[in-house]
Amino acid sequence: MRNGDDLEGFDGEASSTSMISGASSPYQPTTEPVSQRRGLGGLRCDLDYLRGTFGRIKLAEVVLALIAFICIETIMECSPCEGLYFFEFVSCSALVVTGVLLLMFSLNLHTRIPQINWNLT
């Protein structure tokens, strides 16, 4: 049975100095160093997505929805306005939804929410 003197300096883990005997030791680090994240809270703009096909299409959708919404808002008067109001709602909704999706994909926020099937979205 061991007494307290035998366990002095023992805190439940192996000492790193006694186990590492050189470059051929099996106790070498096995993980890669963690790279420092740039940006605000780890957010960074994914320029590869914006330069790709889907990024360009989504950016064009946002611009066209913005142009459509601005054009609708310039109309001063109309006689039957139901179609105008519907188009205004659709263009505003398209601008908001597509803008949010563009931000999600261009800032890589979709990787932080794995519960959503982003390919389907």
Side-chain angles (χ1 to χ4, degrees), residues 9-11 13-22 25-27:
F10 181 73
D11 58 353
E13 293 183 10
S15 172
S16 61
T17 57
S18 65
M19 295 186 81
I20 298 176
S21 61
S25 173
Y27 299 106

Side-chain angles (χ1 to χ4, degrees), residues 73-106:
E73 291 301 316
T74 59
I75 296 176
M76 295 298 176
E77 59 183 69
C78 63
S79 56
C81 294
E82 293 83 19
L84 182 74
Y85 294 148
F86 177 72
F87 187 75
E88 182 180 10
F89 169 74
V90 169
S91 64
C92 182
S93 299
L95 176 64
V96 169
V97 170
T98 310
V100 167
L101 286 175
L102 179 66
L103 282 175
M104 293 284 292
F105 283 105
S106 64

Side-chain angles (χ1 to χ4, degrees), residues 7-75:
L7 298 176
E8 187 174 317
F10 181 73
D11 58 353
E13 293 183 10
S15 172
S16 61
T17 57
S18 65
M19 295 186 81
I20 298 176
S21 61
S24 63
S25 173
Y27 299 106
Q28 297 297 323
T30 58
T31 58
E32 296 180 13
V34 178
S35 62
Q36 296 292 328
R37 293 183 179 172
R38 293 184 296 165
L40 180 64
L43 296 178
R44 62 176 184 82
C45 185
D46 187 8
L47 294 177
D48 292 334
Y49 175 77
L50 292 175
R51 290 182 185 133
T53 305
F54 292 118
R56 288 183 182 180
I57 289 173
K58 203 162 299 305
L59 192 61
E61 286 179 35
V62 169
V63 169
L64 290 174
L66 180 64
I67 290 171
F69 185 71
I70 290 172
C71 289
I72 284 297
E73 291 301 316
T74 59
I75 296 176

